[in-house]
Amino acid sequence: KKQKRTLYADTSDSTCFDELSYADGVVTAVFTDGSLYAYDGCTKADARDWFEDPSLGGYFNAVVREPTK
């Protein structure tokens, strides 16, 4: 049986997030104000794109949050 791995973003330079992790289709985000959010339906590839972006908060605002039109 294949062991599931949790992916973690490096949030050491982030002014938005204290922690970002991905496991089983869900990204869990802990914001610097302590609020916690879970984003369902995320692929591992999408999580990796987000976690490797130079601006975690910028990616969140541009891609993850519902964009306003």
Side-chain angles (χ1 to χ4, degrees):
K1 185 175 175 180
K2 189 175 179 186
Q3 185 175 358
K4 293 180 179 156
R5 284 187 43 223
T6 301
L7 298 178
Y8 293 94
D10 177 4
T11 58
S12 58
D13 291 332
S14 178
T15 58
C16 186
F17 298 104
D18 276 342
E19 183 178 300
L20 274 175
S21 61
Y22 168 86
D24 300 326
V26 179
V27 171
T28 302
V30 181
F31 289 87
T32 55
D33 68 0
S35 55
L36 174 71
Y37 293 96
Y39 302 98
D40 288 348
C42 188
T43 67
K44 187 181 241 183
D46 288 341
R48 194 172 278 128
D49 285 347
W50 182 3
F51 294 1
E52 292 174 356
D53 194 275
S55 175
L56 297 173
Y59 187 97
F60 171 76
N61 286 328
V63 178
V64 178
R65 279 190 0 179
E66 291 296 322
T68 53
K69 302 200 182 214

